[in-house]
Structure formats: structure tokens, C-alpha cells
Amino acid sequence: MAEEIRAEMVANVWKIVAKPGDEVSDADPIVILESMKMEIPVHSEDGGVVAELHVTEGQVVQEGDLIATVE
Amino acid sequence: MSIATTPATPVTVDVRDPLPRLTALFDAGTLQLVAHDDDSGVVTARGDIGGTPAIAYCSDARKMGGAMGTDGCAHIVSAIDTAVAERIPVVGIWHSGGARLPEGVVALHAVGQVFAAMVRASGRVPQISVVLGPAAGGAAYGPALTDIVIMSATGRIFVTGPEVVKSVTGEHSDMESLGGPDVHGRKSGVAHVTTKDDATALATARDLTSLLGRQGHVQPADAVDEGDLGELLPDQPNRAYNVKPLVKRLLDSGDDVESPVELHAKWAANIVTVLGRFAGRTIGVIANNPLRLGGCLNSESAEKAARFVRMCDALGVPLVVLVDVPGYLPGLGQEWDGVVRRGAKLLHAFAESVVPRVTLVTRKSYGGAYIAMNSRALGATAVFAWPDAQLAVMGASAAVNVLYRKQLAAAPEEEREALRQTFIAKQEAEAGGVGLASEIGVVDEVIDPKQTRHRLAVALAAAPAARGAHGNIPL
């Protein structure tokens, strides 16, 4: 089942690390957000293959916004 | 050549049978049934769990779906009262549709007596619930009144079932989407632990019973430091990281040690609460997790931590608090969600608790969250910091923007950034780092990360054992 990774808080998308097709573990960052003056890596909960990225660098995401889908 | 294999004789096991469930809960060969062999829908038993005596009650869902009537409730009350008299843990295994309808208000009265027994026992003996099937209506509030709720994949907890919900609100659901483990592990916080199957749920109950029932003593000589815990922090000070490997490395490990149990792992994940063994003794660890919400405190995480602190205090479990917190999470949602009311619970819980409780600031501790994370002012037994820790009202650059706003605005634009950097350096020197905190005694000592386990163990061992005289209300 696809895992939808959503933003937990308002943040800037600082860096996109993974691209669609990449296999990621639960410890590999997919994107890095910037919020509260911190760089916050975003991970998949169980790992898998990145199916789609829904954000671009520099974009502002709100709480609940879809960041990536991992299968 | 192929060898024909004889299929194993099919054995039909009713998964609802209390006997295999109780057998899996207790140490091999120690199970003694107490109340059984009647139609009450409840079986009670005693025996050893991890070598420590314990009592258990278990729904028998083969009888009226495990519904609770006068006799079954009397068995549960008796089991709980016995546990209190003998000062031993009590485990409940739940698979029940709630109160017995044919008994009417008589059954409701009996279920209420179970609740009252649980509250009498609250904070006096560990109470652990394992929900393996539906626990509906009255059977939902039974587990909810105990210290820890474990749910297996087939566990379902709800007050009113899908049919009633549909008839009243028009909402469509099934038992899983209404009150399955994902709902209660992630959204509601009703379940402390969710597991993939019944066997793991019962194994987790065994670990928790052993941790809470046989707590042991801190032996600083056993707290050997292997490697440098400081290496688990990222090189960049503003990079978030997962704190769980640090918690794991801090705690004892080995074949003869219970697995640490994280409570509420997926709910309010920006704070981590773990029961585990440290230097031979059961402790509770509370840690900000920068990976989630930057490690900010918010209303849910403060409430989660507050309940954990109060449970540990009531059951005499010392605390280790690992601090790396940028502050409280700002936002309208937080304020409207009662971050003031719910955040106050954490302040109250720490200030009230009498168990030994040691704080370690690993990286930063800012603002109101500094106070809330078991600060000296709230009565911490000891407060340590790693060498690069920062303790302040806010980070230096944020502070400068407030303190020097007028001077920065008055400066020519081309000089402004250089001036800002000068002010930041000044602010860091005067109010950042651990200097000021050490000077006024709110940090006792800056410790070498390579000696973390040993120094925490010595501080815990030196503090007199104590236990809060209060119940564990499910905050």
C-alpha cells in the first residue's frame, strides 16, 4: 500500500534529496524541510520506493500537505 | 526424488480461548487458574512473569462474546484487590462486547465496580491491559483506566459500535476504522503499544510486567560507556535527527535484559517515552525527538509526557530526561488546542514528582520548553549538559532581532548584516552556551558524552528512592 508522507508543520522545502524511483530506507531523507531554524529530514515510516514527489525546492508546505508518495 | 510429507494433524484452536492466552502470558509451568470453569465470561489466574509474581484476568469471548456481568466483574475486582493486597502487578486480557444486556442495570453496576477497583489500585500496583479483540462500551473504559494499554492487530476499542454511529451521525465505519490499532496508536493516543499479532502483544505485556514488577537497583559499576554517545548527534547544530538510537544506546541491552518498551511511539512522536533497564534498574526515559516537529513541545506531546511522568512517579520508577528542544510549537491551532492547559500538565507532573529524575541537555533547551523539561526549578535531582549545549530564552540570532531591533533598523543597510553578526556573537558570549546556566546553578555539571551512562547512573544511585503518593489518572 502506498504511504503518503505529509508535512507535520509549516515549513520551507529546503532540499530535495531523493527522486522518483529511488529506494529509501526508514532512515534515508527524501526531502529536507526548514522550519523553526532547523533542517528537518523527512523519512518514510517503513521504507520503500519513492513513487512521486509532490513538492519543489523553495516551496512552502502547510501542515498536512502531501510531500511524497512511497510504495 | 521427492519425499512425501505428512500434513500435520489439523488442530482447531479457538483463538478466543483464555487458557492459551494466559499460558503465553505467564512463565512456563507457573500458571494457576483461580476463577474458571463457570459461565461468568472471565477467567482469572496467577503465576510468575519474568520471575516476578503477577495476577491476570482474561475475558472468555466464547461465552456471550466475553460480555461483562455480575459474576465476571466480581472475578476482576477480586483479582485487582488481591494484586493490591500483595503489591504485585495485574494484567487484564480483553476481548469483550461490554456489559451483559440481559442483566440490564445490574451489569452496568458491576462494570462500574470494576472501574472503581481499578482506580483504587491506580498508582499502587502496575496495571497493564492487553486488548486482543473488541473491547466495546464498558470494556473500552476498563483498559483506558489502567496504566498501559497494548493492542494487537485484531484489537478494537470503541464506546459505541459502527451501527450505532451510523444510525446517529450517518458516518460509515467498520470496527477497524472506528477503533483499530492504527486509530488508537496514531490518532487518539488510547493505545500505548500496538503490535502485529497477539503473541507480540502478550510478549510486550511480559516485558512491561517484569520491568514494573521487578525494578531492581541502579549499579553504577554496571553502567559501562561503550563509545561516544555524542557521535549520535549530527555535525550541523541545526540539523534534526532521530533521538531513538540515542535512547537505545543509553539503556542496557543484552539477552538477559527485557527489551525496552516505547509507549505512544506513533502518537505525539515529537516526544519519546520509553520504559527500559538502565544500570540494572527500570527507569523511564523522556526525550525530545528533533526529527518530528523539530522536537518542539506541543499540546499533545506535553500531555503524553505528563502522563508518563505521573505513572513513573506513582510506581516509583526514576526518570532520565534527554533535552534537545527549540521551544513550544507556535500556531493558532496549538493555542486553540489548549497548549496552555495541556502544557501546564507537564509542569505540574514534574514539579510534583518525587522519584529521582536526572536531566541531560544534549544540544539546546530554549524558552518555556527549557523550564518544562525537568529543569532545576522544577526540582530535578541533577541537571547535566554536554559541552556544546545551549540554554537560553531563545537562540542568539532570534534574540538579537528582538533585543537590537531599533539599532539594526537605524544602521545603514549595507552595514546591517555585519552589525547583526557582532550582536549575535555578543549575545552568544553573554547569554548562550552553558556558561550562565552553570554559573547560576541550573546546570550542575558539563559532562563528557563518553561518560554519559556512568554519570547518570551515579546521580540516580545517589538520590534516595521515593515514590509519589497519588494515582495515575489517564491525563
Side-chain angles (χ1 to χ4, degrees):
Chain A
M1 206 180 80
E3 177 190 350
E4 292 187 337
I5 300 172
R6 292 179 181 277
E8 292 188 323
M9 63 199 297
V10 179
N12 294 308
V13 179
W14 180 61
K15 197 179 271 186
I16 291 183
V17 184
K19 58 183 185 304
D22 285 359
E23 193 166 339
V24 289
S25 77
D26 59 359
D28 296 327
I30 296 169
V31 304
I32 301 175
L33 302 178
E34 191 279 319
S35 188
M36 296 290 288
K37 301 193 193 308
M38 288 173 71
E39 297 162 9
I40 306 174
V42 175
H43 308 271
S44 156
E45 195 163 291
D46 303 311
V49 175
V50 178
E52 203 175 342
L53 283 168
H54 305 271
V55 293
T56 52
E57 286 183 6
Q59 184 185 334
V60 175
V61 287
Q62 303 291 326
E63 183 185 337
D65 284 358
L66 192 58
I67 293 175
T69 318
V70 172
E71 283 175 343
Chain B
M1 196 179 92
S2 65
I3 301 168
T5 51
T6 317
T9 316
V11 183
T12 45
V13 179
D14 189 338
V15 293
R16 302 170 302 166
D17 187 346
L19 193 61
R21 289 175 164 175
L22 289 165
T23 305
L25 178 67
F26 287 102
D27 295 347
T30 68
L31 172 69
Q32 294 171 271
L33 294 175
V34 181
H36 65 113
D37 212 18
D38 59 19
D39 287 324
S40 68
V42 173
V43 172
T44 63
R46 56 188 308 150
D48 293 345
I49 296 177
T52 191
I55 289 184
Y57 53 90
C58 181
S59 318
D60 187 348
R62 299 170 306 175
K63 293 173 178 157
M64 298 178 71
M68 302 164 77
T70 311
D71 295 343
C73 289
H75 292 332
I76 297 176
V77 169
S78 170
I80 295 169
D81 287 348
T82 307
V84 172
E86 298 184 18
R87 299 186 170 279
I88 59 178
V90 55
V91 180
I93 301 175
W94 292 86
H95 190 151
S96 167
R100 284 190 171 185
L101 283 178
E103 289 190 27
V105 73
V106 178
L108 294 179
H109 178 62
V111 171
Q113 286 172 319
V114 168
F115 297 163
M118 287 169 160
V119 176
R120 281 199 297 280
S122 182
R124 301 179 69 189
V125 297
Q127 298 189 80
I128 295 161
S129 299
V130 189
V131 181
L132 302 181
Y141 284 111
L145 282 167
T146 63
D147 300 311
I148 295 169
V149 180
I150 302 164
M151 273 179 99
S152 79
T154 48
R156 307 282 182 265
I157 303 176
F158 46 81
V159 176
T160 52
E163 287 303 315
V164 177
V165 169
K166 191 179 152 200
S167 69
V168 175
T169 68
E171 295 164 304
H172 290 270
S173 62
D174 55 20
M175 288 208 287
E176 186 174 2
S177 60
L178 186 62
D182 197 56
V183 170
H184 291 312
R186 208 180 285 273
K187 288 196 175 93
S188 72
V190 168
H192 293 78
V193 182
T194 56
T195 65
K196 63 182 194 303
D197 54 30
D198 289 6
T200 315
L202 291 166
T204 306
R206 284 177 52 80
D207 281 334
L208 285 167
T209 307
S210 173
L211 283 166
L212 294 172
R214 187 180 52 87
Q215 296 188 14
H217 300 279
V218 176
Q219 308 288 349
D222 293 345
V224 180
D225 280 274
E226 285 166 8
D228 182 355
L229 289 181
E231 285 175 358
L232 296 173
L233 299 190
D235 296 334
Q236 313 96 302
N238 62 337
R239 174 62 66 89
Y241 60 97
N242 188 356
V243 80
K244 290 183 191 185
L246 175 58
V247 175
K248 194 176 169 206
R249 283 269 299 276
L250 182 76
L251 291 166
D252 298 349
S253 59
D255 294 339
D256 54 343
V257 179
E258 304 90 342
S259 306
V261 181
E262 182 177 0
L263 305 182
H264 286 137
K266 290 175 181 168
W267 178 64
N270 43 326
I271 206 157
V272 172
T273 49
V274 179
L275 285 170
R277 218 166 268 282
F278 174 72
R281 198 208 192 289
T282 303
I283 64 162
V285 181
I286 298 170
N288 308 112
N289 195 0
L291 191 61
R292 307 298 295 274
L293 293 178
C296 286
L297 278 180
N298 63 348
S299 56
E300 279 183 354
S301 65
E303 198 167 64
K304 163 177 160 179
R307 180 168 175 185
F308 184 77
V309 169
R310 295 193 81 255
M311 176 185 78
C312 289
D313 188 51
L315 299 176
V317 178
L319 295 164
V320 166
V321 184
L322 302 178
V323 183
D324 185 356
V325 67
Y328 275 93
L329 185 68
L332 270 181
Q334 281 299 307
E335 301 294 343
W336 292 2
D337 198 30
V339 66
V340 175
R341 174 175 57 83
R342 297 164 86 184
K345 295 179 186 184
L346 185 55
L347 296 169
H348 195 288
F350 271 128
E352 172 191 45
S353 75
V354 297
V355 286
R357 45 187 165 101
V358 177
T359 300
L360 171 66
V361 183
T362 57
R363 207 161 68 155
K364 65 183 172 308
S365 188
Y366 290 155
Y370 154 81
I371 307 173
M373 291 302 293
N374 197 38
S375 60
R376 164 57 26 83
L378 297 188
T381 306
V383 181
F384 296 122
W386 281 354
D388 294 332
Q390 301 271 341
L391 293 90
V393 174
M394 60 179 86
S397 65
V400 161
N401 289 341
V402 177
L403 292 171
Y404 299 98
R405 182 167 45 204
K406 283 182 187 162
Q407 279 132 296
L408 286 169
E413 201 175 330
E414 62 276 15
E415 290 169 25
R416 198 172 291 152
E417 194 46 41
L419 190 62
R420 190 195 313 274
Q421 293 307 324
T422 315
F423 287 144
I424 289 173
K426 181 172 182 290
Q427 178 70 14
E428 265 174 0
E430 284 173 5
V434 260
L436 181 59
S438 297
E439 214 172 281
I440 65 165
V442 297
V443 166
D444 294 302
E445 206 179 330
V446 175
I447 62 168
D448 182 346
K450 292 191 193 74
Q451 297 178 353
T452 300
R453 269 175 52 89
H454 185 67
R455 296 305 306 274
L456 292 177
V458 169
L460 284 177
R467 182 171 173 176
H470 56 78
N472 177 26
I473 188 171
L475 286 181

